[in-house]
Amino acid sequence: MKILQLLELHGYTDMEVKILLILLKKLSDQLGEIRVVNDQYGCPTYTKDLGIVIKELITRPPGIYHVTNSGSCSWFEFAREIIKLLKKQTKIIPVSTEEYGLKTRRPLYSVLSNKKLNSFDIKTRNWKEGLQEYLKRSVQTRMKIEGVKSKKLIKHFDDRGFLPKY
């Protein structure tokens, strides 16, 4: 048996991140700035890259495997990279979790180690490369930004530390 531990996935089947990307696009069009928590860290992982690793793990011994793209970032850095790749001028303002006032307590450090993958010579690309490919493909083929109601999206993400305060 193999157990995979995953966090912060983005890809074609992850509706939450898809909505987040749409939200960032819409908000960047409507606002001059977006406040994002800068003290919560993780490893954004593209589901396409996860699929490649799963294929590699089929022949490996049983065990627990952490599977993420390489590198880590804060939600602030993730949002800043999204805005940069979308070629927006929106200012991303870093704020602490405490300053942001989240209703739900979230871990500050959720970075998983790929040490076990690396011991089997399974390498994953950097999260920025995965995000760049995902955004390029999403904008071209999947994302229909126009017509999405920002208020509805804001309600969905009101407790993620990823929204402006009105």
Side-chain angles (χ1 to χ4, degrees):
M1 175 190 286
K2 294 176 183 75
I3 298 172
L4 305 183
Q5 291 185 321
L6 318 163
L7 288 171
E8 300 176 20
L9 296 174
H10 60 89
Y12 297 111
T13 60
D14 187 352
M15 185 53 80
E16 187 166 285
V17 173
K18 215 178 265 189
I19 291 170
L20 172 63
L21 296 173
I22 293 169
L23 174 64
L24 278 175
K25 166 83 168 70
K26 292 289 282 185
L27 289 176
S28 68
D29 288 344
Q30 296 171 9
L31 305 171
E33 59 188 42
I34 301 172
R35 296 166 21 115
V36 182
V37 293
N38 70 340
D39 57 358
Q40 293 180 27
Y41 290 84
C43 304
T45 302
Y46 185 23
T47 53
K48 177 182 174 184
D49 296 337
L50 170 62
I52 291 168
V53 171
I54 289 172
K55 187 176 175 183
E56 288 285 325
L57 286 175
I58 289 172
T59 60
R60 307 300 177 177
I64 298 173
Y65 295 85
H66 294 174
V67 182
T68 66
N69 279 118
S70 67
S72 64
C73 65
S74 69
W75 282 110
F76 164 76
E77 293 165 321
F78 188 57
R80 186 175 59 189
E81 188 67 16
I82 291 168
I83 294 298
K84 179 180 119 185
L85 291 171
L86 290 174
K87 296 181 171 52
K88 296 292 177 182
Q89 300 301 314
T90 307
K91 183 176 181 180
I92 306 295
I93 301 171
V95 296
S96 70
T97 299
E98 184 179 340
E99 181 182 359
Y100 192 83
L102 292 175
K103 297 172 188 170
T104 304
R105 188 176 152 139
R106 302 211 180 266
L108 296 180
Y109 195 75
S110 299
V111 177
L112 298 176
S113 170
N114 283 338
K115 187 174 167 181
K116 192 168 186 178
L117 289 181
N118 294 336
S119 74
F120 290 111
D121 204 31
I122 299 172
K123 306 288 185 218
T124 58
R125 64 179 162 174
N126 187 275
W127 67 268
K128 286 184 179 183
E129 295 170 35
L131 177 63
Q132 183 174 17
E133 180 182 326
Y134 171 66
L135 283 175
K136 183 178 178 184
R137 294 183 71 176
S138 294
V139 168
Q140 288 175 350
T141 61
R142 295 281 192 141
M143 294 177 72
K144 302 287 186 215
I145 304 300
E146 292 71 31
V148 175
K149 303 240 186 281
S150 295
K151 296 283 184 192
K152 194 176 204 178
L153 295 173
I154 288 169
K155 186 176 181 187
H156 180 75
F157 280 95
D158 67 349
D159 193 32
R160 295 285 178 192
F162 225 100
L163 299 173
K165 294 291 185 184
Y166 290 104

